[in-house]
Amino acid sequence: MPKVAVVMGSKSDADVCLPAIKVLRKFGVEVAARVISAHRTPEQAREFALSAVDNGFEVIIAAAGKAAHLAGVVAAHTTLPVIGIPVKSSTLDGLDSLLSMVQMPSGVPVACVGINGGENAGLLALQILSLKYPEIMKKLINHREAMAAQVAEDDADLQKEFS
Ligand code: RP5
């Protein structure tokens, strides 16, 4: 079973991470959720990233707010793909988190979804895993088809309502 880690800088980030955890589990992926802070527990952040491959993780999702360095710090210590979720947790509406996370220096990339984009982080992790796991690719295709069918249904409803 593929394994993804969802790490967050604070327990207060859990609600934003929940959609990622849910969609990963729905697709049959094992998820380990952790609270690890780049600033409050820097040694644990380093240890976690250095041992991630040996612990069987294939993708890491890292959520953080404010000066959101967790995803970057984790990415600095592993070559696994790291997907950041910038959390809207402060007076700056999450723009601080987004810029802290996305503006990585050349050489150490972090894939960054939108502010509070938990579900997209989960889906992007699934897309990465689908390169190795054909059953996940099949489920992703079904998921896209279901979304398209929903849009078609909404379109038909709207046309009826306003015609
Ligand atoms: C960041 O600071 C965390 O990722 C969280 O989004 C934000 C606030 O943390 P708490 O003060 O709620 O623990 O490090």
Side-chain angles (χ1 to χ4, degrees):
M1 194 190 248
K3 212 170 141 188
V4 169
V6 177
V7 291
M8 56 201 91
S10 165
K11 205 177 168 195
S12 64
D13 300 325
D15 284 351
V16 169
C17 293
L18 210 58
I21 295 169
K22 273 191 186 160
V23 77
L24 286 162
R25 290 197 171 142
K26 190 174 142 195
F27 277 67
V29 172
E30 186 182 335
V31 180
R34 300 279 311 274
V35 176
I36 301 174
S37 168
H39 307 118
R40 294 166 177 156
T41 60
E43 282 311 317
Q44 283 87 336
R46 181 174 170 274
E47 255 315 296
F48 163 79
L50 286 174
S51 58
V53 171
D54 288 344
N55 286 328
F57 295 115
E58 292 178 81
V59 181
I60 297 170
I61 293 175
K66 298 184 175 177
H69 299 142
L70 181 61
V73 165
V74 168
H77 291 102
T78 182
T79 54
L80 288 176
V82 176
I83 302 168
I85 309 174
V87 175
K88 181 180 171 177
S89 66
S90 73
T91 46
L92 294 179
D93 269 351
L95 188 59
D96 46 352
S97 319
L98 173 66
L99 297 180
S100 305
M101 201 168 266
V102 80
Q103 288 290 68
M104 287 296 289
S106 288
V108 186
V110 163
C112 186
V113 295
I115 297 166
N116 282 3
E119 186 176 53
N120 268 1
L123 287 168
L124 184 54
L126 289 164
Q127 287 179 215
I128 293 168
L129 293 170
S130 76
L131 296 171
K132 178 175 169 191
Y133 299 96
E135 65 277 15
I136 292 182
M137 190 175 282
K138 220 183 281 171
K139 286 179 188 171
L140 281 167
I141 291 166
N142 291 342
H143 181 257
R144 292 278 173 107
E145 284 171 359
M147 277 195 304
Q150 184 61 56
V151 172
E153 198 183 311
D154 291 346
D155 180 44
D157 287 350
L158 201 79
Q159 289 190 50
K160 242 186 262 163
E161 201 178 321
F162 291 102
S163 61

